Amino acid sequence: MLVVLAAAVSACGTLPERRDEVTAEVTRFEQALGAGRHDRLCAALAPATREELEQSAKSRCEQAIGQAIEERELPAAGAVREVDVYGDQARVVLEQDTVFLARFPAGWKVTAAGCAPRPQRPYECEIKGG
């Protein structure tokens, strides 16, 4: 039993490793945004986030995310300023955006992007899961 528990804990990675993984995922997301790679942006989204985006736009993810970019709802975010990881959830604060992620079996996925803080209230996000 102890061996199984030790393997499960080590599979999660250390906090610095998880921060590095989250930072790398957000960096790939931002690079795809800058390059107009809608397919990569959609692949980076958590399943519920992708579904919500498609349902709201009534179109496929690639088209919906392209529209969000054109309407400037998903800005180029700039450099990473802060990374917070809490278990399987993460928040990355960038110069012009805040991105939220969750860890899935396939790795870290974006659950919300285009997020702005609001005093005394939850973040307002342009792209988010349902």
Side-chain angles (χ1 to χ4, degrees), residues 57-111:
K58 296 183 182 4
S59 62
R60 296 193 49 180
C61 182
E62 290 82 358
Q63 186 176 14
I65 209 156
Q67 183 179 1
I69 293 167
E70 286 175 18
E71 294 172 0
R72 308 293 287 162
E73 293 175 354
L74 192 58
V80 172
R81 290 192 169 173
E82 184 178 344
V83 178
D84 299 314
V85 178
Y86 305 99
D88 290 339
Q89 304 293 316
R91 178 185 73 146
V92 179
V93 178
L94 300 116
E95 291 174 333
Q96 303 296 320
D97 193 4
T98 300
V99 178
F100 293 90
L101 301 96
R103 188 168 43 191
F104 290 84
W108 290 94
K109 297 286 184 178
V110 174
T111 57

Side-chain angles (χ1 to χ4, degrees), residues 116-122:
R118 300 182 299 172
Q120 307 290 319
R121 296 171 40 202

Side-chain angles (χ1 to χ4, degrees), residues 35-49:
R37 294 296 310 262
H38 303 167
D39 57 328
R40 288 188 182 170
L41 291 168
C42 290
L45 297 178
T49 304

Side-chain angles (χ1 to χ4, degrees), residues 73 96-100 112-117 123-128:
E73 293 175 354
Q96 303 296 320
D97 193 4
T98 300
V99 178
F100 293 90
C115 301
Y123 279 78
E124 183 174 352
C125 300
E126 297 300 332
I127 294 177
K128 59 187 179 272

Side-chain angles (χ1 to χ4, degrees), residues 6-7 10 13 18 21 24 26-27 30 34 57 68 76 102 104 110 114:
S10 66
R18 288 183 289 149
E21 291 169 358
V26 168
T27 300
E30 289 301 316
F104 290 84
V110 174

